Amino acid sequence: MNGGILRRIPWSLAAPAFFFAAAFAAPLVFVAVRAAGAFRNGAEILGSPYFRGVLAVTVKQAVLSTVFSVLFGLPGAYFIGRCRFPGRNLLKSLSTVPFVLPPVLAVLGFILVFGNSGALNGFRDLLTSQNAEPWKILYSLKAVVMAHVFYNFPITLRLAGDAWASLPQSTVRAARSAGAKPFRAFLTVDLPMLTPSVATAAVITFLYCFLSFAIVLVLGGGPELTTLEVEVYRLVKYKLDFDGASALAAVETLIASCLLIVYGLLSSKIAVRDDSINVRRNPLPLRGFRGFAAAVYALPALLLLAAPIAAIIINSFLSHTGWTGSLGFSLKNWKNLFGGAGPGSAVLLGAVFRSLLLGAAVSVLSVATAASAARYSAQRKGKAAGIIGISAAAPMAVSSIILGLGYLLALNRLPNFAFARKAALLCAQVAVALPFSYRILSAHFKSSSQRILQAAKSCGASSLRVFFTIELPMAKRALLTSAVFSFALSAGELNAAVILAPSGFTTIPVAIYQMIGAYDIQGACALGTLLILLCASAFFILDRMGETGL
C-alpha cells in the first residue's frame, strides 16, 4: 500500500511542473534560441560599444544604489535590532514597503517631491522668498539612485536589524571578559556574525536595482541612462528588434542567475546561524547620545519614506483652477475615477476592475501552485526538495520584461493574439509572485508537526480527509498571507503589462504610467492613492498575519 501511495504522490506536482514548464521555462527557451541565433548570425552585440555602454550603466547604477541603500539602512538596523523605543515595531513594519509598494508610485512620488516644480524646490523658495533656479534632480543618475535607496534601504533595515536583535549574549560576555573594549568586541565578534545578513541585503538590493525598470525608464531621462532592462523594452516596443532584445535578455538573465545563487548561499548561512542562538542580548535604552543619533537618523529616513507617499495623496485632492491655472483643493480627480461622465472615467474604472480581477486570479494560481510544491518538498529531503526549491526561486532571476519578450516570440503566430497576450500576462504575474508564495508556504509546511498527520492516518482517516480537516485549517494563515502578498504584487506590476497587455487592456500601474506621460500628474495621483490604499490594505493584513517567512 505504501508503494502505491508513493507512486501517486508525484501527481501532486503535475500542476506546478506543468506551470513551470509552460509559463516560465518555455518563454525563456524562445529567448535563448533567438539570442543564440543572433550571436550565430554575426550580430556581434556583446562586442559592440553600444552593449558595453548599456552594461556599464546598468552595473554602475546598481552598485551605487546598493552602496547607498546599505549605508542608509545600517543605522536603522542598529536602532531596530539593539534598542528599545516607542514605535520600534512600526518602524520595523515599514521594512515591508519595497514588497508592497509598486515602483510606479515611487516614480510618481519622486516627481512630486524632487521635480523642478516639486515640494523640495517649493519649500526652498518659501524659505528664501525668491524664485531661484530650481534644483534639477530628476532625469539623472542621482534621481535613479535616490529612488532606489527609497525603495530598497528597508531591506537592509529588516535583514540586518533581525541579525542585530539575534546576537547572543554569550559572545560579548566572553569578549569583554578577555579584556576587549566595546569597539574591538564589535569588530572581532559582532561584525563577523552580522556580515552574512548585510551581504544578503546587499546582494538582493543589487539584484532588484540591476533588474529595475520603471524607475530607470521614467527618472533616467533617456538613452544616456538606459539599462539592460530598459533597453530590452525599447528594442521590443519601438524597434521590433527581437534579436538584439533576446541577446541582451540572455546576458541579463545569466548575471541575475549568478546573483540569485549567491543570495541562496548567503541565506542558508543566516538560517544556520540563527538556529544556534539561545539567549539574545537585552535591548539598550534609547537615550543620551544614542537617542540624539536616532533622532538625527529618523528625520531623513521618515521623510524619505513618507514624503513621496504623502505628496501623492495630497496632490490627488488638487487640480488646476481658474484662469491662472493655480492648484487648489478639488475632488475633480476622484470624480473622474468614480463619478465622471466622460470616456476617461470609464477607462479608469476599467483599469481598476481589471487590476482587481487580475490580482484575484494571480492570487489563486500562485497559491495553488506554490502550495502543491511546498507541501510535497516539506515531506521530502535530498535532491527532490532541492530541485523544487531552486525551481520556485528561479523567477527571481528573470524579469517580467524578459518573460514578456519570450511570450511575444512564442505567441506572435497565434490567431487570437489579444486573448493569448492576456493569458500570458496572467502567467507572467503568477511567475513573479511564485517565489514569494513558495517561501511563505514552504516555511509553514516545514514547521508543521507531522506527528498530528500521522496520528490521524493511524486512526483510519484517509489522506483526503486529513488534508481537508487538518492540513488545510492549519495552513489557513499561511495561505491567506501568500494570497494577499500575491495580490499586492499583481496590483502594482507594470513591467509585464507594458510588454504583453493588448490595446485597451489597461491596469492601474499602466494607467498611472500613461497619465504621467500625458502630464496629468494630479489625475495620476488619484489613481496612485487608490493603489496605495490597495497595497496598504494588503500591508495591514500581512502585518496582522505576523511573520511572513520572507
Side-chain angles (χ1 to χ4, degrees):
M1 181 173 177
N2 289 336
I5 292 175
L6 291 175
R7 282 195 297 270
R8 290 196 300 267
I9 283 176
W11 283 102
S12 63
L13 290 178
F18 175 79
F19 177 83
F20 181 84
F24 178 70
L28 294 186
V29 169
F30 278 93
V31 173
V33 170
R34 194 67 177 256
F39 297 144
R40 186 171 60 249
N41 293 332
E44 298 181 354
I45 295 175
L46 298 184
S48 66
Y50 151 79
F51 169 78
R52 291 197 297 268
V54 172
L55 180 61
V57 171
T58 305
V59 173
K60 180 180 179 180
Q61 62 84 23
V63 168
L64 290 175
S65 299
T66 301
V67 169
F68 285 106
S69 295
V70 171
L71 290 178
F72 196 68
L74 280 175
Y78 169 78
F79 294 126
I80 285 180
R82 292 292 296 120
C83 303
R84 63 174 184 268
F85 55 92
R88 176 177 175 270
N89 291 333
L90 175 63
L91 185 58
K92 186 177 179 180
S93 296
L94 288 175
S95 63
T96 315
V97 165
F99 295 108
V100 297
L101 185 68
V104 70
L105 291 183
V107 169
L108 181 58
F110 262 68
I111 290 174
L112 294 169
V113 175
F114 300 106
N116 291 347
S117 302
L120 181 63
N121 280 307
F123 183 70
R124 187 197 64 166
D125 291 343
L126 184 65
L127 290 179
T128 59
S129 300
Q130 59 182 356
N131 293 323
E133 182 72 17
W135 288 328
K136 295 181 179 179
I137 299 175
L138 296 186
Y139 315 120
S140 63
L141 178 61
K142 58 186 174 185
V144 171
V145 172
M146 287 175 63
H148 282 158
V149 171
F150 157 79
Y151 206 71
N152 292 298
F153 90 89
I155 297 174
T156 299
L157 189 137
R158 174 66 176 267
L159 292 178
D162 288 345
W164 236 310
S166 63
L167 290 176
Q169 184 70 35
S170 57
T171 54
V172 70
R173 285 179 177 175
R176 297 300 298 274
S177 64
K181 294 183 179 181
F183 184 69
R184 182 175 178 82
F186 170 78
L187 290 179
T188 57
V189 177
D190 292 350
L191 187 59
M193 300 180 71
L194 293 172
T195 298
S197 296
V198 177
T200 300
V203 170
I204 196 170
T205 298
F206 185 90
L207 181 62
Y208 285 162
C209 296
F210 186 81
L211 298 177
S212 179
F213 173 70
I215 289 174
V216 178
L217 178 68
V218 179
L219 299 182
E224 297 80 10
L225 194 61
T226 190
T227 59
L228 290 173
E229 184 81 345
V230 174
E231 196 62 15
V232 169
Y233 165 74
R234 286 177 174 157
L235 290 175
V236 172
K237 194 76 173 180
Y238 300 111
K239 295 186 178 181
L240 299 179
D241 182 3
F242 291 97
D243 286 343
S246 298
L248 295 184
V251 174
E252 180 186 305
T253 302
L254 179 62
I255 296 174
S257 299
C258 295
L259 292 171
L260 188 61
I261 293 172
V262 175
Y263 167 69
L265 294 174
L266 291 171
S267 296
S268 64
K269 289 185 178 181
I270 293 175
V272 170
R273 181 174 58 80
D274 285 349
D275 289 340
S276 66
I277 291 174
N278 295 315
V279 179
R280 300 180 180 184
R281 301 178 193 178
N282 295 324
L284 303 171
L286 202 60
R287 58 171 179 258
F289 175 78
R290 196 179 293 110
F292 174 76
V296 171
Y297 173 79
L299 182 60
L302 290 177
L303 284 177
L304 186 63
L305 279 174
I309 298 175
I312 293 173
I313 297 174
I314 292 172
N315 275 268
S316 71
F317 295 99
L318 301 177
S319 64
H320 293 280
T321 59
W323 292 100
T324 60
S326 58
L327 288 174
F329 176 80
S330 172
L331 296 176
K332 174 185 175 182
N333 303 309
W334 288 97
K335 290 179 180 178
N336 287 339
L337 281 181
F338 299 109
S345 176
V347 171
L348 296 178
L349 278 176
V352 173
F353 174 76
R354 280 186 287 272
S355 292
L356 294 175
L357 186 63
L358 188 61
V362 168
S363 296
V364 172
L365 289 176
S366 64
V367 170
T369 304
S372 299
R375 180 173 176 267
Y376 181 83
S377 64
Q379 299 170 354
R380 296 289 182 275
K381 293 181 180 179
K383 293 182 179 180
I387 292 173
I388 293 172
I390 292 172
S391 300
M396 290 183 64
V398 181
S399 73
S400 45
I401 288 286
I402 294 176
L403 278 179
L405 169 62
Y407 281 119
L408 288 180
L409 293 173
L411 302 177
N412 266 330
R413 294 178 176 84
L414 291 182
N416 194 348
F417 188 46
F419 175 80
R421 289 179 70 162
K422 294 176 185 177
L425 175 59
L426 172 63
C427 291
Q429 292 197 356
V430 173
V432 170
L434 186 60
F436 301 97
S437 291
Y438 177 82
R439 190 163 183 180
I440 293 170
L441 294 168
S442 179
H444 163 77
F445 285 115
K446 286 180 180 178
S447 63
S448 298
S449 175
Q450 296 297 317
R451 292 181 180 179
I452 300 176
L453 307 180
Q454 293 171 0
K457 291 179 180 179
S458 66
C459 292
S462 65
S463 298
L464 194 62
R465 185 175 182 182
V466 170
F467 175 75
F468 282 105
T469 59
I470 298 178
E471 287 190 81
L472 200 58
M474 288 175 60
K476 182 173 64 175
R477 189 184 188 96
L479 290 170
L480 180 59
T481 302
S482 177
V484 170
F485 209 92
S486 299
F487 178 86
L489 288 173
S490 173
E493 210 283 326
L494 173 67
N495 301 13
V498 296
I499 285 284
L500 289 172
S503 178
F505 192 86
T506 306
T507 60
I508 293 178
V510 173
I512 293 174
Y513 173 65
Q514 291 174 347
M515 295 170 83
I516 292 174
Y519 299 100
D520 184 8
I521 300 299
Q522 280 66 45
C525 287
L527 198 55
T529 301
L530 183 62
L531 186 54
I532 288 173
L533 292 176
L534 286 174
C535 294
S537 300
F539 166 79
F540 177 76
I541 295 174
L542 285 174
D543 194 49
R544 298 284 293 184
M545 290 293 100
E547 184 62 43
T548 64
L550 295 173

